[in-house]
Coordinates of all heavy atoms in Angstrom, one line a residue:
Q6 N -3.7 98.8 16.7 CA -4.0 97.5 16.0 C -2.8 97.1 15.2 O -2.4 95.9 15.1 CB -5.2 97.6 15.1 CG -5.6 96.3 14.5 CD -6.9 96.3 13.7 OE1 -6.9 96.3 12.5 NE2 -8.0 96.4 14.5
P41 N 0.4 71.3 13.9 CA -0.5 70.1 13.7 C -0.5 69.1 14.8 O -1.4 68.2 14.9 CB 0.1 69.5 12.4 CG 1.6 69.8 12.5 CD 1.6 71.2 13.1
A62 N -12.2 77.2 11.3 CA -11.1 76.9 10.4 C -9.8 76.7 11.2 O -9.0 75.8 11.0 CB -10.9 77.9 9.3
L83 N -12.4 86.0 19.8 CA -12.9 84.7 19.5 C -13.9 84.2 20.6 O -13.7 84.6 21.7 CB -11.8 83.7 19.3 CG -10.8 83.9 18.1 CD1 -9.8 82.8 18.1 CD2 -11.5 84.1 16.8
A96 N -4.6 88.8 29.1 CA -3.4 89.5 29.3 C -3.4 90.8 28.4 O -4.4 91.0 27.7 CB -2.2 88.7 29.0
A125 N 22.7 76.7 31.8 CA 22.7 77.5 33.0 C 21.5 78.5 33.0 O 20.9 78.7 34.1 CB 24.0 78.2 33.2
S169 N 13.3 87.8 20.6 CA 13.0 87.2 19.3 C 12.8 88.4 18.3 O 11.9 89.2 18.4 CB 11.8 86.3 19.3 OG 10.7 86.9 19.9
V193 N 18.2 94.9 32.7 CA 19.2 94.1 32.0 C 18.7 93.8 30.6 O 19.5 94.0 29.6 CB 19.4 92.8 32.8 CG1 20.4 91.9 32.0 CG2 19.9 93.0 34.2
A218 N 4.8 95.9 36.3 CA 6.3 96.1 36.3 C 6.7 96.6 34.9 O 7.6 97.5 34.8 CB 7.0 94.8 36.6

Side-chain angles (χ1 to χ4, degrees):
Q6 189 172 105
L83 299 181
S169 49
V193 177

